[in-house]
Amino acid sequence: MNNSVGNTGRVLWAGLRALLVLTVVCGVLYPLAVTGVAQVAFPGRANGSEVEDASGKVVGSELIGQRYDLPLKDGEETPAPDLRWFQPRPSNGLGTNSVNTRYSIVLSGATNRSGDNADLIKWVTDAKAAVVEDNSTDGYRVKPSDVPADAVTSSGSGLDPHISPEYARLQVHRVAERNKLDVATVERLVAEHTDDRILGFIGEPRVNVLALNTALRDLVAKG
């Protein structure tokens, strides 16, 4: 009986020691080591790929899209876009951020509707009409045929932070007019924030909307 109790005690103590060692190694030392290496080797990515404005203030992450809307008015179900800014892809999942100083995520997910779905067709048709109307100015008229697919459809996650260079350029005249800037100046801003394909062949050229709007805000602040 005593030997049985003693053996049980030794087994329990061995199990407890193993638990403590594994907790310290796997739960403390390993995470600290990985975090330390990441902070040294990839500090930007390790901290969430944060985007900062000219003052050094963090305004979001370059990996997560944001919306740029006006404050919601009484009776409105969805806020109107703030047309001073470049607009992202359509999505109900993007956190609202009309002043580019805060960011939040509401939800993530695709619509999962087929190409011939009546609701999807109406959404795309309405979105294209809105893009044409919002981005047409006195001296520049957007043609429906000029509206790229990413201007009227959301991404699979609903959180895509990028738009195509075509959609960014389509918005240039409106952004320039709303911010009292030269069109050429805004065009250069878009060109400077257009990323090419990775290694020259992976993916598509893209523009990060948050980075572009952050640069736009800094430019407007300079007068």
Side-chain angles (χ1 to χ4, degrees):
M1 180 69 68
N2 290 336
N3 289 338
S4 177
V5 172
N7 290 335
T8 300
R10 284 191 292 272
V11 170
L12 291 175
W13 174 238
L16 180 59
R17 283 184 299 177
L19 176 62
L20 292 174
V21 170
L22 290 174
T23 298
V24 171
V25 173
C26 299
V28 179
L29 298 180
Y30 178 73
L32 286 176
V34 171
T35 301
V37 171
Q39 287 293 335
V40 172
F42 312 102
R45 295 181 182 181
N47 292 325
S49 299
E50 296 172 334
V51 175
E52 299 179 351
D53 59 17
S55 67
K57 185 174 183 178
V58 175
V59 294
S61 169
E62 66 179 17
L63 303 177
I64 300 175
Q66 300 182 21
R67 290 192 57 81
Y68 295 82
D69 295 327
L70 295 170
L72 188 66
K73 297 179 180 179
D74 293 338
E76 286 184 339
E77 293 184 2
T78 57
D82 189 340
L83 298 180
R84 295 175 300 165
W85 307 105
F86 286 92
Q87 293 297 309
R89 297 184 67 168
S91 176
N92 291 326
L94 302 186
T96 298
N97 183 354
S98 61
V99 295
N100 198 25
T101 59
R102 59 186 173 82
Y103 51 102
S104 60
I105 300 304
V106 180
L107 54 87
S108 172
T111 60
N112 292 325
R113 286 172 169 79
S114 63
D116 60 352
N117 179 269
D119 288 338
L120 180 60
I121 293 173
K122 185 178 186 306
W123 292 344
V124 170
T125 302
D126 292 346
K128 178 174 287 191
V131 168
V132 170
E133 180 181 356
D134 290 344
N135 291 281
S136 294
T137 64
D138 290 338
Y140 175 76
R141 183 68 185 175
V142 176
K143 300 176 182 178
S145 58
D146 293 336
V147 179
D150 62 304
V152 296
T153 57
S154 63
S155 63
S157 68
L159 306 177
D160 192 349
H162 299 101
I163 57 176
S164 66
E166 292 78 14
Y167 187 28
R169 289 193 292 267
L170 183 146
Q171 301 182 59
V172 163
H173 286 77
R174 183 254 301 163
V175 170
E177 181 180 76
R178 297 276 175 156
N179 291 283
K180 296 179 173 57
L181 297 170
D182 293 333
V183 170
T185 299
V186 181
E187 286 177 335
R188 285 196 298 271
L189 201 65
V190 170
E192 292 168 358
H193 288 82
T194 298
D195 297 322
D196 202 355
R197 292 179 174 88
I198 300 173
L199 300 179
F201 67 95
I202 300 176
E204 295 293 331
R206 61 209 179 278
V207 179
N208 187 284
V209 181
L210 174 59
L212 178 60
N213 277 334
T214 301
L216 172 64
R217 185 185 183 192
D218 294 338
L219 180 63
V220 171
K222 293 177 181 178

